[in-house]
Amino acid sequence: MTKPLATNCLPVDAVILAGPTASGKTDLLDSMFGAGVAEWLPRLRDAWSIDLQSVHVLSADSMQAYRFMDIGTAKPDSGLKKRLVHHLIDMKNPDEQYTAGEFVARVDALCTELAEQHILPVVSGGTGFYLMNFICGLPSAPPSSPEIRAQVAQELEHAGTAALRAELARADPEIAAKIHEHDVYRLTRAVEILRSSGKPPSFFAPQKVPRQGKRFVVLGVTRPRDELLLRIHARVEAMMKAGLAEEVAQLMARGYSREDPGMQAIGYREFFELSGRPLETISEAIELHTRQYAKRQMTFFRALPGIQWIAPEPEQLFRALAEAAN
């Protein structure tokens, strides 16, 4: 006889689904809770013995937060968003900053709100830094003063990133080496921390243990390397055919430039760096950078505390979720 469904809170605060770009996170969630919701939601409801109403996706992709950037960020299309509710998409203009602190605050609030409605939040995406901060809490780095922030911004505008990177490298070579050459936000933030506190940014390293009082199921989607590389190649080709070049041209026409936070994304910055070059050359650069990024993602994800690795198959995801109530 089926156990009666309890109306108490969810057994976890959130499910976290990590995985490198093109690993199949979106398709997996659609298979279970979008197109396949009629099959899998009742199974999960029975496994947990609770009145689970629905599943919502909270995007942990730092670039899907930007408006007008649909193709290059592989946002869920309108059909998928009708089948499966997504949050934290299209919140910012490309010239606005989206920080890990804002991400954590928004996700915490959404998780509380959804739990009250018996809706399971699945935090899914490939921005490992955001996921680590959500799981373990934000580092205790001090805020920089408005004066220092303005000073750093003025130096950046007049002299570019070279002097700021050199300053950071002298004080904290480890952190400087980890900041990508195009990641202007992290570079300027690190310099602000250095000048505000007088200490290297690595002194304020992120926490490595989950926050007390929180319960997460942390899952990583994995594929064989050769298979992932083929999927990355296919994704880049599909983006180019879907009109990525036209999307970037429209962004430029709106006045966005290579210095804007959104334009730092892979798939967009290459059009600025290789302006005037053939589309084939730009496509090859996007694929190369995406492959390199996927490798860095996997390295970062392995450090997520408690991560369990699954193939992108609904049955594997279901088993991992069913065990969460034990």
Side-chain angles (χ1 to χ4, degrees):
M1 189 169 96
T2 303
K3 293 186 292 183
L5 298 181
T7 57
N8 58 321
C9 63
L10 303 175
V12 296
D13 291 283
V15 173
I16 295 163
L17 190 66
T21 184
S23 59
K25 300 181 293 297
T26 299
D27 289 344
L28 175 59
L29 290 173
D30 188 24
S31 296
M32 284 199 68
F33 302 119
V37 67
E39 174 185 358
W40 293 100
L41 186 63
R43 288 184 61 181
L44 186 57
R45 184 184 292 132
D46 290 343
W48 283 357
S49 297
I50 66 170
D51 186 21
L52 183 63
Q53 293 297 305
S54 183
V55 173
H56 287 193
V57 177
L58 282 55
S59 172
D61 186 310
S62 62
M63 293 301 167
Q64 288 187 352
Y66 290 113
R67 303 181 185 97
F68 320 124
M69 297 169 55
D70 300 333
I71 298 172
T73 63
K75 283 180 189 169
D77 61 27
S78 58
L80 175 55
K81 286 189 287 187
K82 288 178 181 177
R83 296 191 298 272
L84 180 59
V85 177
H86 284 68
H87 300 267
L88 306 184
I89 291 175
D90 292 331
M91 305 182 301
K92 300 273 187 178
N93 289 329
D95 58 351
E96 298 175 309
Q97 195 63 248
Y98 184 39
T99 67
E102 181 178 352
F103 169 79
V104 172
R106 285 179 177 270
V107 174
D108 277 345
L110 280 167
C111 286
T112 299
E113 176 185 333
L114 294 175
E116 293 172 351
Q117 302 172 56
H118 302 278
I119 296 172
L120 175 65
V122 177
V123 184
S124 177
T127 306
F129 184 67
Y130 281 17
L131 293 175
M132 181 68 82
N133 279 274
F134 174 61
I135 296 169
C136 300
L138 294 164
S140 57
S144 65
S145 68
E147 293 79 10
I148 290 178
R149 184 178 299 114
Q151 180 188 68
V152 172
Q154 186 177 37
E155 292 176 19
L156 177 66
E157 182 179 357
H158 290 153
T161 60
L164 295 177
R165 184 171 290 278
E167 177 184 352
L168 180 61
R170 288 192 297 270
D172 199 335
E174 180 183 358
I175 290 295
K178 290 180 179 179
I179 297 177
H180 191 274
E181 61 179 318
H182 299 291
D183 196 338
V184 177
Y185 170 74
R186 289 187 65 195
L187 173 62
T188 55
R189 175 64 180 140
V191 173
E192 289 171 11
I193 292 171
L194 174 63
R195 295 184 185 181
S196 297
S197 66
K199 297 177 181 178
S202 57
F203 180 84
F204 307 99
Q207 300 295 316
K208 297 294 184 181
V209 295
R211 288 185 279 169
Q212 289 188 348
K214 297 288 186 179
R215 187 177 181 198
F216 302 122
V217 175
V218 185
L219 305 174
V221 175
T222 183
R223 288 180 182 270
R225 180 177 179 276
D226 290 347
E227 184 178 319
L228 181 63
L229 295 181
L230 287 173
R231 288 175 61 87
I232 289 173
H233 176 77
R235 170 174 285 191
V236 174
E237 280 199 335
M239 287 177 171
M240 298 302 287
K241 290 179 180 177
L244 179 58
E246 290 76 11
E247 181 173 84
V248 175
Q250 291 171 5
L251 286 161
M252 292 179 181
R254 290 177 181 268
Y256 298 115
S257 68
R258 65 183 299 170
E259 286 77 27
D260 291 321
M263 298 299 95
Q264 308 300 316
I266 296 172
Y268 296 87
R269 70 180 193 232
E270 291 83 2
F271 284 89
F272 293 95
E273 295 168 352
L274 301 172
S275 178
R277 303 288 293 277
L279 286 182
E280 182 179 352
T281 301
I282 295 175
S283 178
E284 290 171 354
I286 293 172
E287 181 172 348
L288 173 62
H289 294 160
T290 303
R291 290 171 63 168
Q292 293 170 338
Y293 178 54
K295 184 177 180 180
R296 295 195 302 272
Q297 285 177 299
M298 286 300 296
T299 299
F300 200 105
F301 294 146
R302 292 187 186 102
L304 293 178
I307 191 166
Q308 307 171 53
W309 293 98
I310 62 171
E313 299 170 0
E315 189 63 44
Q316 288 207 24
L317 177 54
F318 170 74
R319 289 176 188 170
L321 296 181
E323 291 171 1
N326 298 330

